[in-house]
Amino acid sequence: MMKAPVAVTMRRLAKAIDGLDEPAVEKIAKDQQEDPFQVLIATMLSAQTRDTVTAAASARLFRIARTPESMAKLTRARIQRLIYPVSFYRNKAVHVKQTCEQIMTRYAGRVPSTMEDLLTLPGVGRKTANLVLILAHSSQENICVDTHVHRIANRLGWVKTRTPDETEHALYRATQRRWWPIINLYLVTWGQNVCRPLYPLCPQCVLADVCPKIAVTKVGKPVQV
Ligand code: SF4
């Protein structure tokens, strides 16, 4: 199977994403000095939600409560109102409250720093756990795979997988360790701007000459990005 060379791809993307909007959770992580709690909550809110909505909902919630202790004291209904209209805001409000309570009772008020412990928190899956480990605990051992990373890694021919979880495990084998912590940032930014789910902008993509464009059938019209 033809595949885009990983190092060439990552070096070109490093230049190409300069100046493009960063994903919401990355921005929040930087603005909050990688505070693990805010990274965790923002990542939970971000699932299947547009970045602008995630950023606004996180800002409203953090204005009222910035620690697990203060957030655990908010009612579920209040959290729900604050985070609306993120997708699944009802479920997310329940999970946010339960997660805060468990951080207080089981982890002495600190966000856990291992995959195993993070996965015990309500509503926290591998994607959220990996992003918290990378952005808040400076892990060099994790790859965070969301739908963008899953889609683009397959288009590039790096993996041939059906689910984000399969992609994560395949990427550990397909890529060198040095790229792991930044694969998410690069591919999510590219996925939001150029390698979009529908009608990717292949004709103007910096990877066009090396990418096998696997399963891409229709491309978008060139526009200014
Ligand atoms: S936009 Fe097209 S050329 Fe660029 S990475 Fe996506 S599939 Fe490959």
Side-chain angles (χ1 to χ4, degrees):
M1 179 174 78
M2 187 191 155
K3 59 180 183 182
V6 176
V8 171
T9 300
M10 293 299 280
R11 284 198 197 99
R12 286 194 196 171
L13 287 182
K15 281 198 200 123
I17 66 169
D18 196 24
L20 295 178
D21 265 353
E22 286 191 329
V25 178
E26 307 266 349
K27 255 192 232 149
I28 290 168
K30 272 191 198 151
D31 293 348
Q32 305 305 327
Q33 284 84 42
E34 285 85 27
D35 172 55
F37 178 66
Q38 293 188 42
V39 172
L40 171 66
I41 299 298
T43 309
M44 290 172 79
L45 299 186
S46 73
Q48 296 184 46
T49 299
R50 276 186 299 119
D51 266 16
T52 46
V53 175
T54 301
S58 304
R60 280 194 301 276
L61 183 59
F62 296 148
R63 257 201 299 278
I64 305 298
R66 308 179 81 84
T67 62
E69 191 178 11
S70 53
M71 206 173 283
K73 288 182 187 147
L74 301 180
T75 63
R76 181 199 45 75
R78 179 122 196 247
I79 297 173
Q80 195 175 299
R81 280 197 302 277
L82 286 164
I83 65 175
Y84 178 87
V86 298
S87 311
F88 310 111
Y89 57 91
R90 285 193 192 88
N91 283 345
K92 285 178 184 174
V94 172
H95 289 153
V96 164
K97 180 158 174 73
Q98 290 174 343
T99 285
C100 292
E101 288 167 351
Q102 294 197 17
I103 290 173
M104 293 311 296
T105 53
R106 294 170 43 222
Y107 296 104
R110 302 183 79 86
V111 173
S113 57
T114 66
M115 172 64 75
E116 201 189 351
D117 286 345
L118 282 164
L119 289 178
T120 67
L121 297 172
V124 175
R126 288 193 68 87
K127 189 197 90 170
T128 299
N130 275 317
L131 203 56
V132 170
L133 291 170
I134 293 166
L135 295 181
H137 295 298
S138 308
S139 168
Q140 304 291 312
E141 306 289 318
N142 296 79
I143 303 176
C144 174
V145 175
D146 72 345
T147 58
H148 292 293
V149 176
H150 173 61
R151 177 182 74 252
I152 300 174
N154 274 280
R155 284 178 176 171
L156 291 166
W158 290 357
V159 299
K160 190 167 188 290
T161 50
R162 285 163 308 170
T163 65
D165 275 5
E166 278 179 29
T167 300
E168 182 195 339
H169 292 107
L171 280 175
Y172 291 123
R173 296 190 293 275
T175 59
Q176 280 180 303
R177 190 171 280 263
R178 56 187 296 219
W179 306 116
W180 293 357
I182 48 176
I183 282 179
N184 182 271
L185 171 64
Y186 287 18
L187 296 196
V188 172
T189 307
W190 210 236
Q192 288 173 339
N193 290 279
V194 179
C195 194
R196 306 178 306 200
L198 296 173
Y199 305 110
L201 304 175
C202 300
Q204 64 190 109
C205 177
V206 294
L207 305 173
D209 61 323
V210 290
C211 176
K213 307 174 192 70
I214 288 166
V216 173
T217 49
K218 289 183 178 162
V219 299
K221 294 209 175 80
V223 291
Q224 291 298 316
V225 290

